[in-house]
Amino acid sequence: MLEFKDATIKVGERVLVERLSLIAKDGELTCVTGPEGSGKTTLLRTLMGFLPVNEGFVSVDGELLTIHSAHAFRKMMVYLPQQMQLLAHQLREPEPLEPEAEEYVVWNGVLPSVIKQVAPEPLNAEEIMMLAEKTLSEANGKSIVIADEPTSLLSPELTMRMIQLLRQQAEMGKTVLVASRKPQVVDYADKVIRLETR
């Protein structure tokens, strides 16, 4: 179970979430919705311990979550990011390194400092689904599922498949928290929390 109690979250001086209280229960799909900029992703980042609450508190199974304790709680969580291509390495084999012939470059070609950093290629809708299925199937021991706009690039048919996938996680007794503006996701949630732009 996840709980936000009178939580206020600021980024700099900007208040993104103010005095929010919500409980996301085990076995339920909870959807946080609202317009762009209303704090949905901020809420998820706070839950994962990357942002502090300025007032109120966040707890996981009754234990207080802070930036210092978050690393322990993240071991209980599986995360589907909005930018799913960040997980694309799970689907594709890495391209082999092709060092130049010069001895120095060949020798140092294995060092991270000289490996070319290539931005991940965008995924198509089927690949997003495959990656979500793979990520969740490998997270059987995790009791919390967090998904940030997991259906934003999916067709209505694939959106339904993603909803079914997330509902299956809830039916396994997990706490499922999804940030989404898609009406289809909102309609199939057990509980809906609406945020407003500040």
Side-chain angles (χ1 to χ4, degrees):
M1 182 177 82
L2 308 173
E3 181 178 9
F4 285 76
K5 179 69 174 169
D6 295 328
T8 296
I9 305 164
K10 297 179 183 177
V11 175
E13 291 302 310
R14 186 171 175 218
V15 176
L16 290 177
V17 175
E18 188 169 26
R19 299 188 58 78
L20 173 71
S21 292
L22 76 84
I23 294 176
K25 295 181 181 175
D26 299 347
E28 288 186 352
L29 193 161
T30 302
C31 179
V32 178
T33 191
E36 191 171 336
S38 61
K40 297 182 299 298
T41 298
T42 299
L43 191 75
L44 300 185
R45 294 193 69 217
T46 300
L47 178 59
M48 291 183 290
F50 298 122
L51 289 172
V53 289
N54 301 88
E55 295 173 21
F57 68 85
V58 179
S59 68
V60 179
D61 291 338
E63 299 288 330
L64 194 62
L65 183 146
T66 66
I67 286 183
H68 302 294
S69 66
H71 69 282
F73 289 112
R74 281 195 291 269
K75 292 176 184 173
M76 303 166 59
M77 302 176 186
V78 59
Y79 177 52
L80 300 179
Q82 189 169 8
Q83 305 295 327
M84 286 288 279
Q85 65 265 25
L86 297 175
L87 304 178
H89 63 279
Q90 295 181 41
L91 288 181
R92 301 177 179 146
E93 289 294 318
E95 292 183 21
L97 188 65
E98 294 179 16
E100 296 174 23
E102 185 186 331
E103 182 180 352
Y104 179 80
V105 176
V106 171
W107 179 261
N108 290 288
V110 295
L111 299 178
S113 59
V114 298
I115 294 174
K116 263 194 292 185
Q117 297 296 319
V118 181
E121 292 179 31
L123 300 174
N124 63 43
E126 267 305 327
E127 288 176 318
I128 290 171
M129 274 307 307
M130 285 172 50
L131 190 48
E133 289 166 350
K134 184 176 190 316
T135 302
L136 293 175
S137 72
E138 292 174 353
N140 283 335
K142 313 257 183 180
S143 58
I144 299 169
V145 177
I146 299 171
D148 192 0
E149 299 283 2
T151 62
S152 61
L153 299 175
L154 303 183
S155 66
E157 294 77 20
L158 288 178
T159 293
M160 199 62 226
R161 241 175 82 191
M162 180 70 80
I163 291 167
Q164 289 166 348
L165 186 63
L166 293 169
R167 289 208 64 81
Q168 286 169 2
Q169 295 294 305
E171 287 163 10
M172 292 166 64
K174 299 183 182 187
T175 301
V176 181
L177 184 64
V178 179
S180 181
R181 290 184 290 156
K182 223 172 198 180
Q184 213 175 339
V185 178
V186 174
D187 290 345
Y188 279 90
D190 296 306
K191 182 188 290 182
V192 177
I193 309 298
R194 296 184 191 279
L195 302 179
E196 302 299 328
T197 307
R198 303 199 55 73

